[in-house]
Every structure is written in C-alpha cells, then in structure tokens.
Amino acid sequence: MKTLLATALGTVLFTSTAQAATFVDTREALNPNDFLDWSELVEVPEDLVGPPLPTLPNPFSATSPGGLNLNVSIPAGEFARIDQTPFFPGAFDVGDGLLFTGLGNPGPLTITFDTPVFGVGTQVQSDPIEIFDYIATIEAFDSLGNSLGSFERPGVSEINAGGGVIFTGVFDSSGDIKTLVLNAKEEGVDVPFAINALSIRSVPISVPEPSVILGLLVIGGTGSIVSRLRGLPENN
C-alpha cells in the first residue's frame, strides 16, 4: 500500500476516453441543489462513545428534501450510524452525521436513484482504527446498467475530528446517473468505511474542467439536509 500511495501521490490526473462522467473533487465544484443527511434517519445518543452503534436495515430507502427517492445497500450486515464528535475516531467535521458500513463489515455501498441525476458525491473515510492508507473508489452507472466511469482517489485515515476527509464525486452532463457505487480498499481488499452527507445535483449545470489533483487516479471503464426514511423501525 505504501508503494501504491507513493505512486498515486506522484500522479496528477489520468482519464479514459471511454468515460462519459467527470470526476468531481470538491462539494463546491459539484454545486449541489439537493442533499441527504444521514443524521435525519436515526438519532445517535449524545453520550455514545463506542459500540453498540445505532443501526439501519440493509437495504433501506430514503427521500431527499428535494423529493428524490433512493435506495441504499451493502453486500451483507446492517448499516451503523455515527455522529462525528471531538472524541469519536474519525477526521470528519464535528457534527457530521455518518453512514458506516459497520465494524468489520466492508462495502461496496450502492445507491440507486428512482430518478437519474446529473451529479452526486460525498466524503469517504476508511475505519481509522484498523486502516490507515486507503483508496476510495466511485463508479456511476446509467439507466441501462452501463458504467459511466470509475474513479479512484487515495486517502489517509486520521483519528482526529476536523482533519479533513477526501471528497469523491461524479458528474454526467446527460443527467443519467442511476446508480452510484462507493467503496474503500486497502491493498486491493474491500474495507469498512463511512460517508457523510450525500450531495446531489438533480438539475442541469455546467461544471468546470476537473482540477489537477495530486493523488487522484482515474481508472478506465465502459462506461445539510432534511430527509425522511420510509418504513424504518427505530433503533436505540
């Protein structure tokens, strides 16, 4: 992993002509008009300092403030809900509501939209207790199941809140992002990870050319928030 990370840090940007989607490296560049805050799905007790964590069923459905319906799933197990605090290991900003694939439970995490969107993205961090250097991956698929592009970005998992977490997003000018697949890997192996608020662009917009990012690898391919969770039991 150290060799892979060193190689990635020396890389500016590689793109494949087969990819229809564009990688977006910041929330601001995505210019979202909608979002989903996981903290609105299940509350986390204020005095929580460790397991057991509140859970969400797998899969579950939710609706964004803009009325966009989506379904979220992982290969196995239940989702865990975490709030980033000054004491909870993680580098997200304090107060961020996080969706976690679960302790010892890797991704990928799949999000399917009822109505295709133009862009979507979030910050991704691997389990900072077990995983340090990691690769965050994101892939978008159209309504026919064709890949619009697959992208990778290396990160370093920190335990101190506010330390900064890499953003991974995609934009498709045709507005046909039907499914998003997020993952985190260490030495090619899927690992547990958490994401914060999901930013969504559901209406047309022109985005600037992707910025040159040290550490960004793009691999070829064929292609805050009010939400309401539908039909979920309360988990305490």
PDB file of all heavy atoms in Angstrom, residues 57-91:
ATOM      1  N   PRO A  57     -31.405  -0.784   8.674  1.00  0.00           N
ATOM      2  CA  PRO A  57     -31.535  -2.055   7.956  1.00  0.00           C
ATOM      3  C   PRO A  57     -30.830  -2.012   6.608  1.00  0.00           C
ATOM      4  O   PRO A  57     -30.522  -0.940   6.076  1.00  0.00           O
ATOM      5  CB  PRO A  57     -33.050  -2.206   7.784  1.00  0.00           C
ATOM      6  CG  PRO A  57     -33.576  -0.817   7.843  1.00  0.00           C
ATOM      7  CD  PRO A  57     -32.700  -0.088   8.807  1.00  0.00           C
ATOM      8  N   ASN A  58     -30.583  -3.151   6.076  1.00  0.00           N
ATOM      9  CA  ASN A  58     -29.921  -3.297   4.776  1.00  0.00           C
ATOM     10  C   ASN A  58     -30.790  -4.181   3.871  1.00  0.00           C
ATOM     11  O   ASN A  58     -30.992  -5.352   4.180  1.00  0.00           O
ATOM     12  CB  ASN A  58     -28.545  -3.937   4.969  1.00  0.00           C
ATOM     13  CG  ASN A  58     -27.841  -4.227   3.651  1.00  0.00           C
ATOM     14  OD1 ASN A  58     -27.993  -3.479   2.686  1.00  0.00           O
ATOM     15  ND2 ASN A  58     -27.105  -5.331   3.602  1.00  0.00           N
ATOM     16  N   PRO A  59     -31.333  -3.600   2.796  1.00  0.00           N
ATOM     17  CA  PRO A  59     -31.206  -2.213   2.344  1.00  0.00           C
ATOM     18  C   PRO A  59     -32.227  -1.309   3.037  1.00  0.00           C
ATOM     19  O   PRO A  59     -33.089  -1.783   3.763  1.00  0.00           O
ATOM     20  CB  PRO A  59     -31.499  -2.316   0.855  1.00  0.00           C
ATOM     21  CG  PRO A  59     -32.508  -3.428   0.769  1.00  0.00           C
ATOM     22  CD  PRO A  59     -32.077  -4.433   1.828  1.00  0.00           C
ATOM     23  N   PHE A  60     -32.113   0.005   2.785  1.00  0.00           N
ATOM     24  CA  PHE A  60     -33.135   0.933   3.245  1.00  0.00           C
ATOM     25  C   PHE A  60     -33.383   1.982   2.163  1.00  0.00           C
ATOM     26  O   PHE A  60     -32.568   2.179   1.263  1.00  0.00           O
ATOM     27  CB  PHE A  60     -32.737   1.598   4.569  1.00  0.00           C
ATOM     28  CG  PHE A  60     -31.594   2.571   4.480  1.00  0.00           C
ATOM     29  CD1 PHE A  60     -31.788   3.894   4.106  1.00  0.00           C
ATOM     30  CD2 PHE A  60     -30.298   2.165   4.802  1.00  0.00           C
ATOM     31  CE1 PHE A  60     -30.730   4.802   4.042  1.00  0.00           C
ATOM     32  CE2 PHE A  60     -29.231   3.057   4.747  1.00  0.00           C
ATOM     33  CZ  PHE A  60     -29.452   4.379   4.364  1.00  0.00           C
ATOM     34  N   SER A  61     -34.545   2.617   2.262  1.00  0.00           N
ATOM     35  CA  SER A  61     -34.910   3.670   1.317  1.00  0.00           C
ATOM     36  C   SER A  61     -35.053   4.988   2.047  1.00  0.00           C
ATOM     37  O   SER A  61     -35.405   5.028   3.229  1.00  0.00           O
ATOM     38  CB  SER A  61     -36.231   3.328   0.612  1.00  0.00           C
ATOM     39  OG  SER A  61     -36.100   2.161  -0.170  1.00  0.00           O
ATOM     40  N   ALA A  62     -34.788   6.085   1.349  1.00  0.00           N
ATOM     41  CA  ALA A  62     -34.902   7.416   1.935  1.00  0.00           C
ATOM     42  C   ALA A  62     -35.318   8.400   0.855  1.00  0.00           C
ATOM     43  O   ALA A  62     -35.234   8.109  -0.345  1.00  0.00           O
ATOM     44  CB  ALA A  62     -33.577   7.837   2.557  1.00  0.00           C
ATOM     45  N   THR A  63     -35.767   9.563   1.296  1.00  0.00           N
ATOM     46  CA  THR A  63     -36.184  10.622   0.386  1.00  0.00           C
ATOM     47  C   THR A  63     -35.467  11.914   0.749  1.00  0.00           C
ATOM     48  O   THR A  63     -35.442  12.307   1.916  1.00  0.00           O
ATOM     49  CB  THR A  63     -37.704  10.842   0.449  1.00  0.00           C
ATOM     50  OG1 THR A  63     -38.368   9.613   0.134  1.00  0.00           O
ATOM     51  CG2 THR A  63     -38.145  11.913  -0.541  1.00  0.00           C
ATOM     52  N   SER A  64     -34.892  12.577  -0.241  1.00  0.00           N
ATOM     53  CA  SER A  64     -34.177  13.826  -0.014  1.00  0.00           C
ATOM     54  C   SER A  64     -35.169  14.967   0.177  1.00  0.00           C
ATOM     55  O   SER A  64     -36.361  14.838  -0.152  1.00  0.00           O
ATOM     56  CB  SER A  64     -33.269  14.129  -1.207  1.00  0.00           C
ATOM     57  OG  SER A  64     -34.053  14.545  -2.322  1.00  0.00           O
ATOM     58  N   PRO A  65     -34.715  16.110   0.681  1.00  0.00           N
ATOM     59  CA  PRO A  65     -35.596  17.271   0.803  1.00  0.00           C
ATOM     60  C   PRO A  65     -36.206  17.690  -0.534  1.00  0.00           C
ATOM     61  O   PRO A  65     -37.309  18.222  -0.576  1.00  0.00           O
ATOM     62  CB  PRO A  65     -34.681  18.362   1.351  1.00  0.00           C
ATOM     63  CG  PRO A  65     -33.607  17.616   2.061  1.00  0.00           C
ATOM     64  CD  PRO A  65     -33.387  16.375   1.263  1.00  0.00           C
ATOM     65  N   GLY A  66     -35.475  17.435  -1.629  1.00  0.00           N
ATOM     66  CA  GLY A  66     -35.982  17.776  -2.952  1.00  0.00           C
ATOM     67  C   GLY A  66     -36.951  16.763  -3.521  1.00  0.00           C
ATOM     68  O   GLY A  66     -37.408  16.907  -4.661  1.00  0.00           O
ATOM     69  N   GLY A  67     -37.268  15.728  -2.740  1.00  0.00           N
ATOM     70  CA  GLY A  67     -38.239  14.727  -3.191  1.00  0.00           C
ATOM     71  C   GLY A  67     -37.645  13.591  -3.999  1.00  0.00           C
ATOM     72  O   GLY A  67     -38.379  12.823  -4.636  1.00  0.00           O
ATOM     73  N   LEU A  68     -36.319  13.445  -3.974  1.00  0.00           N
ATOM     74  CA  LEU A  68     -35.673  12.373  -4.720  1.00  0.00           C
ATOM     75  C   LEU A  68     -35.629  11.102  -3.873  1.00  0.00           C
ATOM     76  O   LEU A  68     -35.094  11.098  -2.761  1.00  0.00           O
ATOM     77  CB  LEU A  68     -34.252  12.798  -5.091  1.00  0.00           C
ATOM     78  CG  LEU A  68     -33.441  11.837  -5.958  1.00  0.00           C
ATOM     79  CD1 LEU A  68     -34.067  11.713  -7.342  1.00  0.00           C
ATOM     80  CD2 LEU A  68     -32.000  12.311  -6.071  1.00  0.00           C
ATOM     81  N   ASN A  69     -36.189  10.034  -4.386  1.00  0.00           N
ATOM     82  CA  ASN A  69     -36.188   8.754  -3.689  1.00  0.00           C
ATOM     83  C   ASN A  69     -34.956   7.946  -4.072  1.00  0.00           C
ATOM     84  O   ASN A  69     -34.546   7.915  -5.239  1.00  0.00           O
ATOM     85  CB  ASN A  69     -37.436   7.948  -4.038  1.00  0.00           C
ATOM     86  CG  ASN A  69     -38.714   8.643  -3.608  1.00  0.00           C
ATOM     87  OD1 ASN A  69     -38.767   9.232  -2.534  1.00  0.00           O
ATOM     88  ND2 ASN A  69     -39.735   8.595  -4.443  1.00  0.00           N
ATOM     89  N   LEU A  70     -34.356   7.283  -3.083  1.00  0.00           N
ATOM     90  CA  LEU A  70     -33.188   6.463  -3.359  1.00  0.00           C
ATOM     91  C   LEU A  70     -33.156   5.247  -2.438  1.00  0.00           C
ATOM     92  O   LEU A  70     -33.776   5.237  -1.377  1.00  0.00           O
ATOM     93  CB  LEU A  70     -31.900   7.285  -3.223  1.00  0.00           C
ATOM     94  CG  LEU A  70     -31.661   8.042  -1.907  1.00  0.00           C
ATOM     95  CD1 LEU A  70     -30.941   7.168  -0.906  1.00  0.00           C
ATOM     96  CD2 LEU A  70     -30.865   9.312  -2.178  1.00  0.00           C
ATOM     97  N   ASN A  71     -32.410   4.245  -2.857  1.00  0.00           N
ATOM     98  CA  ASN A  71     -32.248   3.006  -2.109  1.00  0.00           C
ATOM     99  C   ASN A  71     -30.767   2.799  -1.838  1.00  0.00           C
ATOM    100  O   ASN A  71     -29.932   3.018  -2.725  1.00  0.00           O
ATOM    101  CB  ASN A  71     -32.815   1.828  -2.902  1.00  0.00           C
ATOM    102  CG  ASN A  71     -32.724   0.520  -2.160  1.00  0.00           C
ATOM    103  OD1 ASN A  71     -31.724  -0.192  -2.256  1.00  0.00           O
ATOM    104  ND2 ASN A  71     -33.762   0.176  -1.416  1.00  0.00           N
ATOM    105  N   VAL A  72     -30.423   2.384  -0.611  1.00  0.00           N
ATOM    106  CA  VAL A  72     -29.030   2.224  -0.206  1.00  0.00           C
ATOM    107  C   VAL A  72     -28.806   0.795   0.283  1.00  0.00           C
ATOM    108  O   VAL A  72     -29.614   0.273   1.064  1.00  0.00           O
ATOM    109  CB  VAL A  72     -28.662   3.216   0.921  1.00  0.00           C
ATOM    110  CG1 VAL A  72     -27.159   3.170   1.209  1.00  0.00           C
ATOM    111  CG2 VAL A  72     -29.093   4.632   0.566  1.00  0.00           C
ATOM    112  N   SER A  73     -27.704   0.168  -0.155  1.00  0.00           N
ATOM    113  CA  SER A  73     -27.448  -1.219   0.242  1.00  0.00           C
ATOM    114  C   SER A  73     -25.957  -1.508   0.314  1.00  0.00           C
ATOM    115  O   SER A  73     -25.137  -0.800  -0.275  1.00  0.00           O
ATOM    116  CB  SER A  73     -28.099  -2.195  -0.750  1.00  0.00           C
ATOM    117  OG  SER A  73     -27.515  -2.066  -2.037  1.00  0.00           O
ATOM    118  N   ILE A  74     -25.615  -2.551   1.080  1.00  0.00           N
ATOM    119  CA  ILE A  74     -24.270  -3.116   1.154  1.00  0.00           C
ATOM    120  C   ILE A  74     -24.400  -4.624   0.993  1.00  0.00           C
ATOM    121  O   ILE A  74     -25.501  -5.177   1.099  1.00  0.00           O
ATOM    122  CB  ILE A  74     -23.568  -2.754   2.486  1.00  0.00           C
ATOM    123  CG1 ILE A  74     -24.496  -3.027   3.688  1.00  0.00           C
ATOM    124  CG2 ILE A  74     -23.094  -1.320   2.477  1.00  0.00           C
ATOM    125  CD1 ILE A  74     -23.872  -2.731   5.033  1.00  0.00           C
ATOM    126  N   PRO A  75     -23.294  -5.333   0.731  1.00  0.00           N
ATOM    127  CA  PRO A  75     -23.398  -6.775   0.463  1.00  0.00           C
ATOM    128  C   PRO A  75     -23.989  -7.594   1.609  1.00  0.00           C
ATOM    129  O   PRO A  75     -24.696  -8.581   1.375  1.00  0.00           O
ATOM    130  CB  PRO A  75     -21.942  -7.186   0.188  1.00  0.00           C
ATOM    131  CG  PRO A  75     -21.293  -5.939  -0.309  1.00  0.00           C
ATOM    132  CD  PRO A  75     -21.938  -4.834   0.473  1.00  0.00           C
ATOM    133  N   ALA A  76     -23.692  -7.227   2.859  1.00  0.00           N
ATOM    134  CA  ALA A  76     -24.160  -8.026   3.999  1.00  0.00           C
ATOM    135  C   ALA A  76     -24.181  -7.178   5.248  1.00  0.00           C
ATOM    136  O   ALA A  76     -23.576  -6.101   5.313  1.00  0.00           O
ATOM    137  CB  ALA A  76     -23.247  -9.244   4.200  1.00  0.00           C
ATOM    138  N   GLY A  77     -24.898  -7.659   6.271  1.00  0.00           N
ATOM    139  CA  GLY A  77     -24.928  -6.981   7.558  1.00  0.00           C
ATOM    140  C   GLY A  77     -25.834  -5.766   7.575  1.00  0.00           C
ATOM    141  O   GLY A  77     -26.616  -5.536   6.642  1.00  0.00           O
ATOM    142  N   GLU A  78     -25.742  -4.971   8.636  1.00  0.00           N
ATOM    143  CA  GLU A  78     -26.525  -3.758   8.795  1.00  0.00           C
ATOM    144  C   GLU A  78     -25.624  -2.534   8.738  1.00  0.00           C
ATOM    145  O   GLU A  78     -24.430  -2.608   9.001  1.00  0.00           O
ATOM    146  CB  GLU A  78     -27.258  -3.766  10.145  1.00  0.00           C
ATOM    147  CG  GLU A  78     -28.345  -4.796  10.268  1.00  0.00           C
ATOM    148  CD  GLU A  78     -29.057  -4.691  11.601  1.00  0.00           C
ATOM    149  OE1 GLU A  78     -28.371  -4.583  12.642  1.00  0.00           O
ATOM    150  OE2 GLU A  78     -30.310  -4.715  11.609  1.00  0.00           O
ATOM    151  N   PHE A  79     -26.230  -1.417   8.385  1.00  0.00           N
ATOM    152  CA  PHE A  79     -25.522  -0.144   8.450  1.00  0.00           C
ATOM    153  C   PHE A  79     -25.447   0.328   9.898  1.00  0.00           C
ATOM    154  O   PHE A  79     -26.324   0.019  10.702  1.00  0.00           O
ATOM    155  CB  PHE A  79     -26.249   0.923   7.636  1.00  0.00           C
ATOM    156  CG  PHE A  79     -26.185   0.726   6.155  1.00  0.00           C
ATOM    157  CD1 PHE A  79     -27.214   0.075   5.491  1.00  0.00           C
ATOM    158  CD2 PHE A  79     -25.111   1.216   5.426  1.00  0.00           C
ATOM    159  CE1 PHE A  79     -27.176  -0.101   4.113  1.00  0.00           C
ATOM    160  CE2 PHE A  79     -25.057   1.047   4.054  1.00  0.00           C
ATOM    161  CZ  PHE A  79     -26.094   0.385   3.397  1.00  0.00           C
ATOM    162  N   ALA A  80     -24.408   1.091  10.223  1.00  0.00           N
ATOM    163  CA  ALA A  80     -24.297   1.731  11.532  1.00  0.00           C
ATOM    164  C   ALA A  80     -24.336   3.241  11.340  1.00  0.00           C
ATOM    165  O   ALA A  80     -23.899   3.767  10.313  1.00  0.00           O
ATOM    166  CB  ALA A  80     -23.002   1.322  12.231  1.00  0.00           C
ATOM    167  N   ARG A  81     -24.911   3.915  12.330  1.00  0.00           N
ATOM    168  CA  ARG A  81     -24.986   5.372  12.311  1.00  0.00           C
ATOM    169  C   ARG A  81     -24.046   5.938  13.371  1.00  0.00           C
ATOM    170  O   ARG A  81     -24.057   5.536  14.530  1.00  0.00           O
ATOM    171  CB  ARG A  81     -26.421   5.819  12.599  1.00  0.00           C
ATOM    172  CG  ARG A  81     -27.228   6.129  11.343  1.00  0.00           C
ATOM    173  CD  ARG A  81     -26.905   7.494  10.763  1.00  0.00           C
ATOM    174  NE  ARG A  81     -27.321   8.552  11.701  1.00  0.00           N
ATOM    175  CZ  ARG A  81     -26.469   9.383  12.278  1.00  0.00           C
ATOM    176  NH1 ARG A  81     -25.163   9.321  12.023  1.00  0.00           N
ATOM    177  NH2 ARG A  81     -26.911  10.320  13.124  1.00  0.00           N
ATOM    178  N   ILE A  82     -23.229   6.905  12.953  1.00  0.00           N
ATOM    179  CA  ILE A  82     -22.262   7.550  13.836  1.00  0.00           C
ATOM    180  C   ILE A  82     -22.373   9.054  13.657  1.00  0.00           C
ATOM    181  O   ILE A  82     -22.627   9.537  12.547  1.00  0.00           O
ATOM    182  CB  ILE A  82     -20.821   7.114  13.497  1.00  0.00           C
ATOM    183  CG1 ILE A  82     -20.682   5.599  13.469  1.00  0.00           C
ATOM    184  CG2 ILE A  82     -19.824   7.716  14.471  1.00  0.00           C
ATOM    185  CD1 ILE A  82     -19.356   5.128  12.904  1.00  0.00           C
ATOM    186  N   ASP A  83     -22.184   9.797  14.724  1.00  0.00           N
ATOM    187  CA  ASP A  83     -22.001  11.240  14.623  1.00  0.00           C
ATOM    188  C   ASP A  83     -20.545  11.551  14.948  1.00  0.00           C
ATOM    189  O   ASP A  83     -20.006  11.047  15.937  1.00  0.00           O
ATOM    190  CB  ASP A  83     -22.910  11.985  15.606  1.00  0.00           C
ATOM    191  CG  ASP A  83     -24.352  12.049  15.129  1.00  0.00           C
ATOM    192  OD1 ASP A  83     -24.596  11.789  13.937  1.00  0.00           O
ATOM    193  OD2 ASP A  83     -25.232  12.356  15.958  1.00  0.00           O
ATOM    194  N   GLN A  84     -19.918  12.345  14.090  1.00  0.00           N
ATOM    195  CA  GLN A  84     -18.542  12.741  14.383  1.00  0.00           C
ATOM    196  C   GLN A  84     -18.518  13.702  15.558  1.00  0.00           C
ATOM    197  O   GLN A  84     -19.166  14.753  15.530  1.00  0.00           O
ATOM    198  CB  GLN A  84     -17.893  13.395  13.163  1.00  0.00           C
ATOM    199  CG  GLN A  84     -16.455  13.847  13.384  1.00  0.00           C
ATOM    200  CD  GLN A  84     -15.500  12.682  13.547  1.00  0.00           C
ATOM    201  OE1 GLN A  84     -15.258  11.921  12.622  1.00  0.00           O
ATOM    202  NE2 GLN A  84     -14.935  12.535  14.737  1.00  0.00           N
ATOM    203  N   THR A  85     -17.802  13.330  16.600  1.00  0.00           N
ATOM    204  CA  THR A  85     -17.631  14.175  17.781  1.00  0.00           C
ATOM    205  C   THR A  85     -16.146  14.462  17.956  1.00  0.00           C
ATOM    206  O   THR A  85     -15.295  13.862  17.264  1.00  0.00           O
ATOM    207  CB  THR A  85     -18.164  13.475  19.047  1.00  0.00           C
ATOM    208  OG1 THR A  85     -17.281  12.386  19.373  1.00  0.00           O
ATOM    209  CG2 THR A  85     -19.578  12.947  18.827  1.00  0.00           C
ATOM    210  N   PRO A  86     -15.778  15.348  18.888  1.00  0.00           N
ATOM    211  CA  PRO A  86     -14.345  15.587  19.120  1.00  0.00           C
ATOM    212  C   PRO A  86     -13.625  14.348  19.627  1.00  0.00           C
ATOM    213  O   PRO A  86     -12.384  14.283  19.550  1.00  0.00           O
ATOM    214  CB  PRO A  86     -14.348  16.689  20.193  1.00  0.00           C
ATOM    215  CG  PRO A  86     -15.663  17.367  20.054  1.00  0.00           C
ATOM    216  CD  PRO A  86     -16.623  16.279  19.669  1.00  0.00           C
ATOM    217  N   PHE A  87     -14.381  13.356  20.124  1.00  0.00           N
ATOM    218  CA  PHE A  87     -13.752  12.199  20.756  1.00  0.00           C
ATOM    219  C   PHE A  87     -13.866  10.925  19.922  1.00  0.00           C
ATOM    220  O   PHE A  87     -13.098   9.992  20.112  1.00  0.00           O
ATOM    221  CB  PHE A  87     -14.380  11.962  22.134  1.00  0.00           C
ATOM    222  CG  PHE A  87     -14.521  13.215  22.938  1.00  0.00           C
ATOM    223  CD1 PHE A  87     -15.756  13.824  23.102  1.00  0.00           C
ATOM    224  CD2 PHE A  87     -13.407  13.816  23.507  1.00  0.00           C
ATOM    225  CE1 PHE A  87     -15.887  14.989  23.828  1.00  0.00           C
ATOM    226  CE2 PHE A  87     -13.527  14.986  24.238  1.00  0.00           C
ATOM    227  CZ  PHE A  87     -14.769  15.576  24.401  1.00  0.00           C
ATOM    228  N   PHE A  88     -14.829  10.878  18.995  1.00  0.00           N
ATOM    229  CA  PHE A  88     -15.017   9.667  18.207  1.00  0.00           C
ATOM    230  C   PHE A  88     -13.963   9.609  17.104  1.00  0.00           C
ATOM    231  O   PHE A  88     -13.788  10.581  16.371  1.00  0.00           O
ATOM    232  CB  PHE A  88     -16.420   9.627  17.601  1.00  0.00           C
ATOM    233  CG  PHE A  88     -16.891   8.247  17.280  1.00  0.00           C
ATOM    234  CD1 PHE A  88     -17.732   7.571  18.140  1.00  0.00           C
ATOM    235  CD2 PHE A  88     -16.463   7.598  16.122  1.00  0.00           C
ATOM    236  CE1 PHE A  88     -18.174   6.277  17.861  1.00  0.00           C
ATOM    237  CE2 PHE A  88     -16.887   6.313  15.841  1.00  0.00           C
ATOM    238  CZ  PHE A  88     -17.745   5.646  16.712  1.00  0.00           C
ATOM    239  N   PRO A  89     -13.226   8.506  16.969  1.00  0.00           N
ATOM    240  CA  PRO A  89     -12.172   8.418  15.949  1.00  0.00           C
ATOM    241  C   PRO A  89     -12.720   8.697  14.550  1.00  0.00           C
ATOM    242  O   PRO A  89     -13.689   8.078  14.124  1.00  0.00           O
ATOM    243  CB  PRO A  89     -11.671   6.976  16.073  1.00  0.00           C
ATOM    244  CG  PRO A  89     -12.059   6.550  17.450  1.00  0.00           C
ATOM    245  CD  PRO A  89     -13.348   7.259  17.748  1.00  0.00           C
ATOM    246  N   GLY A  90     -12.102   9.605  13.865  1.00  0.00           N
ATOM    247  CA  GLY A  90     -12.526   9.977  12.529  1.00  0.00           C
ATOM    248  C   GLY A  90     -12.153  11.412  12.246  1.00  0.00           C
ATOM    249  O   GLY A  90     -12.017  12.222  13.161  1.00  0.00           O
ATOM    250  N   ALA A  91     -11.972  11.741  10.968  1.00  0.00           N
ATOM    251  CA  ALA A  91     -11.484  13.067  10.592  1.00  0.00           C
ATOM    252  C   ALA A  91     -12.554  13.947   9.969  1.00  0.00           C
ATOM    253  O   ALA A  91     -12.257  15.006   9.429  1.00  0.00           O
ATOM    254  CB  ALA A  91     -10.303  12.931   9.640  1.00  0.00           C
TER     255      ALA A  91
END
